[in-house]
Amino acid sequence: MVTQGPLGSVHDAAQRAADILALLLPRPGYQPEPDSLAQRAALTEVLRAHGEPEPIEISAADLAGLRWAAAELRAVFAAPDVGSAADLINGLLAGRAHPPRLTTHGGTSGWHLHVDGSDDAPSGEWFLTSSCLALAVLLAERQASPAGICASPSCGRPFVNVGRGSPRRYCSAACGTRERVAAHRGQARQGAVKG
């Protein structure tokens, strides 16, 4: 079972969601293996990197619940605008979130907020509700979509959008640069053919 500990910030919880979606969901050039030991190990590392306390043990039921939650959350990351993202988050929280509560998991962590049913809630419920809560806070703070899916046709990786200014289209500068170079080369080829 995933132990559901605290995170350092709302951004950390949203980034954890993006990292888990990237690991559990298919995208261009990446097809996750169903319930492989390697994928469970990679998921353990993602959770560890985001502050989940040891021991991190992921059962087949945990993995199935996390996959289900990741598939549900993908729609929020793919939302075309802030209103759509808000509607999706509200819909996901409406049927699954419980009243907010503070917990220390029996004194094993610092106080933090949960909206899942209990400290022993299924992993999928915990992941979905904690991720939606983080994305909702980011949306409210920025008044913009909190996340996105990389627009590069060869990538499709989910990302958290916390910057100011224009909405991001790419998960990284590398993907943005690769797409700009490809567009420039395509325009140069078209110019050469016309010339």
Side-chain angles (χ1 to χ4, degrees):
M1 166 128 162
V2 179
T3 53
Q4 310 171 15
L7 294 167
S9 71
V10 169
H11 179 265
D12 291 342
Q15 186 60 54
R16 177 198 61 210
D19 292 345
I20 291 175
L21 265 65
L23 181 64
L24 295 181
L25 299 179
R27 61 182 190 280
Y30 176 72
Q31 184 66 39
E33 294 180 34
D35 197 14
S36 73
L37 291 176
Q39 188 172 51
R40 284 190 201 194
L43 184 55
T44 297
E45 287 307 310
V46 167
L47 291 168
R48 187 175 290 129
H50 286 284
E52 292 302 318
E54 298 292 344
I56 300 173
E57 297 173 6
I58 301 168
S59 69
D62 291 331
L63 184 57
L66 292 168
R67 281 186 195 280
W68 164 80
E72 295 285 315
L73 286 167
R74 189 186 189 290
V76 176
F77 280 76
D81 55 57
V82 67
S84 298
D87 289 344
L88 288 163
I89 292 168
N90 283 339
L92 290 172
L93 287 171
R96 296 167 182 97
H98 294 264
R101 64 186 169 78
L102 289 164
T103 184
T104 62
H105 297 283
T108 60
S109 69
W111 288 103
H112 58 282
L113 189 63
H114 271 246
V115 291
D116 53 2
S118 71
D119 284 355
D120 295 324
S123 295
E125 178 186 333
W126 158 77
F127 177 54
L128 182 74
T129 59
S130 64
S131 297
C132 282
L133 181 61
L135 294 167
V137 170
L138 289 176
L139 187 150
E141 285 178 352
R142 296 184 58 253
Q143 296 296 301
S145 291
I149 301 288
C150 186
S152 172
S154 64
C155 180
R157 186 175 177 85
F159 63 86
V160 178
N161 190 16
V162 294
R164 301 283 184 217
S166 300
R168 281 176 58 189
R169 295 187 58 225
Y170 302 103
C171 68
S172 66
C175 278
T177 299
R178 183 176 55 250
E179 293 305 313
R180 283 190 295 279
V181 167
H184 176 72
R185 287 180 180 159
Q187 290 171 348
R189 278 191 294 273
Q190 283 181 339
V193 169
K194 289 181 182 180

